[in-house]
Amino acid sequence: MVSSISIVSFAAAVAIVASWASQLVLGSVEKETKALLESGWWSHEYLNSTTTTPCNLIAITCNAAGSVTHISMNGYNLYQTKLGRFLNGSSFPNLVSLNVDGAGLIGSIPPEIATLSKLTYLDLSGNYLTGSIPPEIRELGNLTHLDLSDNELHGPLPQALGHLSKLKNLHLMSNGINGSIPPEIGNLKNLEILELQNNHLTGALPSALCDLTNLRNLSLGWNQLGGSMPSRIGDLKSLRSLQLCYNRLTGPIVPSLGGLENIELIDLSENLFNGSIPIEICSLSTLTRLDLSYNSIVGQIPFQLFNLTNLTNLNLAFNNLNGNIPSSILQQSKMISSIYLDGNNDLSIIDKVGPNSRKIRIIAFTVSIILVFSILVLIIVTVVRKCGCKYKTCQSLTPSKNGDIFSIWNYDGNIAYEDIIQATEDFDIRYCIGTGGYGSVYRAQLPNGKVVALKKLHTSEAEEPALKKSFTNEVKTLTELKHRNIVRLYGFCSHKRCMFLIYQYMERGSLFCVLNNDAEAKELDWRKRVNIVKGIVNALSYMHHDCTPPIAHRDVTTNNVLLNSELEAVVADFGTAKFLDPDSSTQNTIFAGTYGYVAPEAAYAMVVTEKCDVYSFGVVALETLMGKHPKEVLSSLSSSSTRNLMLTEILDKRLSTPTSRSDVHNVVLVASIVFACLHANPQNRPTMETVSKQFLDRRTPLTNLCFQEISIGHLMNPQVLLSING
């Protein structure tokens, strides 16, 4: 009897527990449905107040109990909603995958992200997310994939990332993240991909990185990292790609790189590495690309490099390498198709390579100081095949007695003069894409399929001393500059009847042309326009503050800002650029620049300082916001009618008024910087370094005003100027 009662009681208890569990599941589903209703992510055609289950919605996957497990909204327009609206408490206890790549989210990553404790896959990339990475992210201990790239996140990398021990892929590139890489990153023993490139990271590379023995891809380029390379980097036996380019790394390239037995790509370019090329690199049989360009590497090139069986691309340009390379070594190479050796100290190829060896076409240089007007620049050329100038055979390693110079370099290692002539059909008008301050600009597609831009002086112009001086000045200046927002000069030809420059080709042309084409201007949304302004800021800040001596451009205009296919900006046309004496506050000069962009003191007093560029930048940035040259605004800045104009009234009407928090923030920030830069007194203008820091700081002036209430007078307010100059 007792046994029977016990069985009945047990069955009743099981039924009660099952009922409670069922109610809990129903309660969870109801919470999930409510959260989805309130998120704003689904339009009413998909979701309404009578919806009882989310499982039939697009981009939703549920488990058998009807609870959401996967959300994949990548590419959907989420109407600039916030992540916090979606994360309504612990509403998604079974969610394992959330993908909202490129969905237009705004705001910050809320601490409530910690409630998604079962997440294994989180992709918030390509949005407008601001703020810092919350420390609560440590609670997502099941994550294997985290992608926060291409947002507007800033602040340091949290130590909490070190708690994500199951993480395999970590993508944080293209944000504004600063500070150092925390040593806790070494706790991520399962990590296979680490991408932190294109941020503002500083400090040294932590040795803890070398504990990530499963790492296949390490990308830390385009930051401000310093110090030396970790000596244990060779411990990363699984590494296939190592990218440390565009940093400030110093010291020698460590021999332990030879331990990267699976490496395919090593890019250490644009750093401050010194010492010689370690012979241990020559044992990397899987290596396909090695880029050590733009460093201070010395000594001779180990010939064993040319025998690596998989190496196809070798770039050692712009170092201090020396010695002779026997052409027989090059002929023996089985794979290398592109070798860059230009811009070195005393490097040459001995013995000519025959015409049947065009598989390897190399241009090696010696940078010499030889040119008129005390602008002594000559890149001496040795071409593997006969380069043959149309007007003069270019075989001499020095200028001829009548001053003819031929020097082409640094583009896949295989530009030669006849390539240029064939590609443009002897500079036929059909290949002309515009005219500059001097000469015409041509588009040329080389035999290898690559495209370059050519700026050629006409025969009559080549005889004019002023234009020849501009030509020479541009060569001298651009050989000193290396920055991603400054146009790259690949080579030049200087002959009394044939003078041209070879540049990186920018597919979208000048900012001026884009702004003056309605269809293209509409494509240039507020985010892209702000990024263009940032690019100009980066270039000018580099020229003014990172170059010794500083360089003033003196002709910053929308015509001299060029855009690539991704609408990223570079500053071009350095014909009037000037190296400044750092010990002199002002320097007299002849007039240079374009009317409408020139600072008052440069036009009237004939003096030049970095602050002249700051003023011109202000005009260009304002033109970018307005979509047209701001001549009316500039001419009446002191009038009350102009000061009473609302910011919204002067913005480009071809675009919708900024509404997202991110766009409003950026437009107000740029506008406040603009009017600080346009101050009549150059001493009251900010430096470009200060402007660059303003973008990093991300504090918006006038935050106490609504966007529609901000006037030009507000932007010119001394308090605003103080915040910009501070």
Side-chain angles (χ1 to χ4, degrees), residues 255-299:
S256 68
L257 276 182
L260 303 178
E261 55 194 34
N262 291 296
I263 199 72
E264 296 173 5
L265 165 64
I266 296 178
D267 188 349
L268 308 181
S269 61
E270 307 270 0
N271 276 286
L272 303 171
F273 287 117
N274 53 38
S276 58
I277 300 173
I279 191 67
E280 289 79 2
I281 290 181
C282 301
S283 65
L284 300 176
S285 59
T286 58
L287 191 63
T288 62
R289 178 185 167 195
L290 176 63
D291 192 342
L292 306 180
S293 62
Y294 288 93
N295 280 287
S296 300
I297 301 170
V298 299

Coordinates of all heavy atoms in Angstrom, one line a residue, residues 255-299:
P255 N 65.8 36.4 -35.7 CA 66.1 35.2 -36.4 C 65.0 34.1 -36.2 O 64.8 33.2 -37.1 CB 67.4 34.7 -35.8 CG 68.0 36.0 -35.3 CD 66.9 36.8 -34.8
S256 N 64.3 34.2 -35.1 CA 63.3 33.1 -34.8 C 62.2 33.1 -35.9 O 61.4 32.1 -35.9 CB 62.7 33.3 -33.4 OG 61.9 34.4 -33.3
L257 N 62.1 34.1 -36.7 CA 61.1 34.0 -37.8 C 61.3 32.8 -38.7 O 60.3 32.3 -39.3 CB 61.2 35.3 -38.7 CG 60.5 36.5 -38.3 CD1 60.7 37.6 -39.4 CD2 59.0 36.3 -38.1
G258 N 62.5 32.3 -38.7 CA 62.8 31.1 -39.4 C 62.1 29.9 -38.9 O 62.1 28.8 -39.5
G259 N 61.5 30.0 -37.7 CA 60.8 28.9 -37.1 C 59.3 28.8 -37.6 O 58.6 27.8 -37.2
L260 N 58.9 29.8 -38.4 CA 57.5 29.8 -38.9 C 57.3 28.8 -40.0 O 57.2 29.2 -41.2 CB 57.0 31.2 -39.2 CG 57.2 32.2 -38.1 CD1 56.8 33.6 -38.7 CD2 56.3 31.9 -36.9
E261 N 57.3 27.5 -39.8 CA 57.4 26.5 -40.8 C 56.2 26.4 -41.7 O 56.3 25.8 -42.8 CB 57.6 25.2 -40.1 CG 56.6 24.8 -39.1 CD 57.0 23.6 -38.2 OE1 58.2 23.5 -37.9 OE2 56.1 22.9 -37.8
N262 N 55.1 27.1 -41.4 CA 53.9 27.1 -42.3 C 53.6 28.4 -42.9 O 52.6 28.6 -43.5 CB 52.7 26.5 -41.6 CG 52.8 25.0 -41.2 OD1 52.9 24.2 -42.1 ND2 52.9 24.7 -40.0
I263 N 54.5 29.4 -42.7 CA 54.2 30.8 -43.1 C 54.1 30.9 -44.6 O 54.9 30.3 -45.3 CB 55.2 31.7 -42.5 CG1 54.7 33.2 -42.5 CG2 56.6 31.6 -43.2 CD1 53.6 33.4 -41.5
E264 N 53.1 31.7 -45.0 CA 53.0 32.0 -46.5 C 53.2 33.5 -46.8 O 53.7 33.9 -47.8 CB 51.6 31.6 -47.0 CG 51.4 30.1 -46.8 CD 50.0 29.7 -47.2 OE1 49.2 30.6 -47.6 OE2 49.6 28.5 -47.0
L265 N 52.8 34.4 -45.8 CA 52.9 35.8 -46.0 C 53.6 36.5 -44.8 O 53.1 36.2 -43.7 CB 51.5 36.4 -46.2 CG 51.4 38.0 -46.1 CD1 52.2 38.7 -47.2 CD2 50.0 38.4 -46.1
I266 N 54.6 37.2 -45.0 CA 55.2 38.1 -44.0 C 55.3 39.5 -44.5 O 55.9 39.8 -45.6 CB 56.7 37.6 -43.6 CG1 56.7 36.2 -43.0 CG2 57.3 38.6 -42.7 CD1 58.0 35.7 -42.7
D267 N 54.6 40.4 -43.9 CA 54.6 41.8 -44.3 C 55.0 42.7 -43.1 O 54.3 42.9 -42.1 CB 53.2 42.2 -44.7 CG 53.2 43.7 -45.3 OD1 54.2 44.4 -45.2 OD2 52.2 44.0 -46.0
L268 N 56.3 43.1 -43.1 CA 56.8 44.0 -42.0 C 57.1 45.4 -42.6 O 57.8 46.1 -42.0 CB 58.1 43.4 -41.5 CG 58.1 41.9 -41.0 CD1 59.4 41.5 -40.5 CD2 57.0 41.7 -40.0
S269 N 56.5 45.8 -43.7 CA 56.8 47.0 -44.3 C 56.3 48.2 -43.5 O 55.5 48.1 -42.6 CB 56.1 47.1 -45.7 OG 54.7 47.0 -45.6
E270 N 56.9 49.4 -43.9 CA 56.6 50.7 -43.3 C 56.7 50.7 -41.7 O 55.9 51.0 -41.0 CB 55.1 51.0 -43.6 CG 54.8 51.0 -45.1 CD 55.0 52.3 -45.8 OE1 55.4 53.3 -45.1 OE2 54.8 52.4 -47.0
N271 N 57.9 50.2 -41.3 CA 58.3 50.3 -39.9 C 59.6 50.9 -39.7 O 60.1 51.6 -40.6 CB 58.2 48.8 -39.3 CG 56.8 48.4 -38.9 OD1 56.3 48.9 -37.9 ND2 56.2 47.5 -39.6
L272 N 60.3 50.7 -38.6 CA 61.6 51.2 -38.3 C 62.6 50.1 -38.0 O 63.6 50.3 -37.3 CB 61.5 52.2 -37.1 CG 60.5 53.3 -37.3 CD1 60.4 54.1 -35.9 CD2 60.9 54.3 -38.3
F273 N 62.4 48.9 -38.6 CA 63.3 47.8 -38.4 C 64.7 48.2 -38.9 O 64.8 48.8 -40.0 CB 62.8 46.6 -39.1 CG 61.6 45.9 -38.4 CD1 60.4 45.8 -39.0 CD2 61.7 45.4 -37.1 CE1 59.3 45.3 -38.4 CE2 60.7 44.9 -36.5 CZ 59.4 44.8 -37.1
N274 N 65.7 47.7 -38.2 CA 67.1 47.9 -38.7 C 67.8 46.5 -38.6 O 67.2 45.5 -38.5 CB 67.8 48.9 -37.8 CG 67.7 48.6 -36.3 OD1 67.8 47.5 -35.9 ND2 67.5 49.7 -35.5
G275 N 69.1 46.6 -38.7 CA 69.9 45.4 -38.8 C 69.8 44.7 -40.2 O 69.2 45.3 -41.1
S276 N 70.3 43.5 -40.3 CA 70.3 42.8 -41.6 C 69.1 41.8 -41.7 O 68.4 41.5 -40.7 CB 71.6 42.1 -41.7 OG 71.8 41.2 -40.7
I277 N 69.0 41.3 -42.9 CA 68.0 40.3 -43.1 C 68.5 39.0 -42.6 O 69.5 38.5 -43.0 CB 67.7 40.1 -44.6 CG1 67.2 41.4 -45.2 CG2 66.7 39.0 -44.9 CD1 67.0 41.4 -46.7
P278 N 67.8 38.4 -41.6 CA 68.3 37.1 -41.0 C 68.3 36.0 -42.0 O 67.4 35.8 -42.7 CB 67.4 36.9 -39.8 CG 66.1 37.6 -40.1 CD 66.6 38.8 -40.9
I279 N 69.4 35.3 -42.0 CA 69.6 34.1 -42.9 C 68.5 33.1 -42.7 O 68.1 32.3 -43.6 CB 71.0 33.5 -42.8 CG1 71.3 32.6 -44.0 CG2 71.2 32.9 -41.5 CD1 71.3 33.2 -45.3
E280 N 68.0 33.0 -41.4 CA 67.0 32.0 -41.1 C 65.7 32.1 -41.9 O 65.0 31.1 -42.1 CB 66.7 32.1 -39.6 CG 67.8 31.7 -38.6 CD 68.8 32.7 -38.4 OE1 68.7 33.8 -39.0 OE2 69.8 32.4 -37.7
I281 N 65.4 33.3 -42.4 CA 64.2 33.5 -43.3 C 64.3 32.6 -44.5 O 63.3 32.2 -45.1 CB 64.0 34.9 -43.6 CG1 63.6 35.7 -42.4 CG2 62.9 35.1 -44.7 CD1 63.3 37.2 -42.6
C282 N 65.5 32.4 -44.9 CA 65.7 31.6 -46.2 C 65.4 30.1 -46.1 O 65.4 29.4 -47.1 CB 67.2 31.8 -46.6 SG 67.7 33.5 -46.9
S283 N 65.0 29.7 -44.9 CA 64.5 28.3 -44.7 C 63.0 28.2 -44.8 O 62.5 27.1 -44.7 CB 65.0 27.8 -43.4 OG 64.4 28.5 -42.3
L284 N 62.3 29.3 -45.1 CA 60.8 29.2 -45.0 C 60.3 28.7 -46.4 O 60.0 29.5 -47.3 CB 60.3 30.6 -44.7 CG 60.7 31.2 -43.3 CD1 60.2 32.6 -43.2 CD2 60.2 30.3 -42.2
S285 N 60.2 27.4 -46.5 CA 59.9 26.9 -47.9 C 58.5 27.1 -48.3 O 58.2 27.0 -49.5 CB 60.2 25.3 -47.8 OG 59.4 24.7 -46.8
T286 N 57.6 27.5 -47.4 CA 56.2 27.7 -47.7 C 55.9 29.2 -48.1 O 54.8 29.5 -48.5 CB 55.3 27.3 -46.6 OG1 55.6 28.0 -45.4 CG2 55.3 25.8 -46.3
L287 N 56.9 30.0 -47.9 CA 56.7 31.5 -48.0 C 56.4 31.8 -49.5 O 57.2 31.5 -50.4 CB 58.0 32.2 -47.5 CG 57.9 33.7 -47.4 CD1 56.9 34.1 -46.3 CD2 59.3 34.3 -47.0
T288 N 55.4 32.6 -49.7 CA 55.0 33.1 -51.0 C 55.2 34.6 -51.2 O 55.5 35.1 -52.3 CB 53.6 32.8 -51.4 OG1 52.7 33.4 -50.5 CG2 53.3 31.3 -51.3
R289 N 55.1 35.3 -50.1 CA 55.3 36.8 -50.2 C 56.1 37.3 -49.0 O 55.7 37.0 -47.9 CB 53.9 37.5 -50.3 CG 54.1 39.0 -50.4 CD 52.7 39.7 -50.3 NE 52.9 41.1 -50.1 CZ 51.9 41.9 -49.7 NH1 50.7 41.5 -49.5 NH2 52.1 43.2 -49.5
L290 N 57.1 38.1 -49.3 CA 57.9 38.7 -48.2 C 58.0 40.2 -48.5 O 58.6 40.6 -49.6 CB 59.3 38.1 -48.2 CG 60.3 38.7 -47.2 CD1 59.8 38.5 -45.7 CD2 61.7 38.0 -47.3
D291 N 57.6 41.0 -47.6 CA 57.6 42.5 -47.8 C 58.3 43.1 -46.6 O 57.8 43.2 -45.5 CB 56.2 43.0 -48.0 CG 56.2 44.5 -48.4 OD1 57.3 45.2 -48.3 OD2 55.1 45.0 -48.9
L292 N 59.5 43.6 -46.8 CA 60.3 44.3 -45.8 C 60.6 45.7 -46.2 O 61.4 46.4 -45.6 CB 61.6 43.6 -45.6 CG 61.6 42.1 -45.3 CD1 63.0 41.5 -45.1 CD2 60.7 41.8 -44.1
S293 N 59.8 46.2 -47.1 CA 60.1 47.6 -47.7 C 59.8 48.7 -46.7 O 59.1 48.5 -45.7 CB 59.2 47.8 -48.9 OG 57.8 47.8 -48.6
Y294 N 60.4 49.8 -46.9 CA 60.3 51.0 -46.1 C 60.7 50.8 -44.7 O 59.9 51.0 -43.7 CB 58.9 51.6 -46.2 CG 58.6 52.2 -47.6 CD1 58.0 51.5 -48.6 CD2 58.9 53.5 -47.8 CE1 57.7 52.0 -49.8 CE2 58.6 54.1 -49.0 CZ 58.1 53.4 -50.1 OH 57.8 53.9 -51.3
N295 N 61.9 50.3 -44.5 CA 62.5 50.2 -43.2 C 63.9 50.7 -43.2 O 64.2 51.5 -44.1 CB 62.5 48.7 -42.7 CG 61.1 48.3 -42.2 OD1 60.7 48.6 -41.1 ND2 60.4 47.4 -43.0
S296 N 64.7 50.3 -42.3 CA 66.1 50.8 -42.3 C 67.1 49.6 -42.3 O 68.1 49.6 -41.6 CB 66.4 51.7 -41.1 OG 65.6 52.9 -41.2
I297 N 66.7 48.6 -43.0 CA 67.5 47.3 -43.1 C 68.8 47.5 -43.8 O 68.8 48.2 -44.9 CB 66.7 46.2 -43.7 CG1 65.4 46.0 -42.8 CG2 67.4 44.9 -43.7 CD1 64.4 45.1 -43.5
V298 N 69.9 47.0 -43.3 CA 71.2 47.2 -43.9 C 71.8 45.9 -44.4 O 71.2 44.8 -44.2 CB 72.1 47.9 -42.9 CG1 71.6 49.2 -42.5 CG2 72.3 47.0 -41.7
G299 N 73.0 46.0 -45.0 CA 73.7 44.8 -45.3 C 73.3 44.2 -46.7 O 72.6 44.9 -47.5

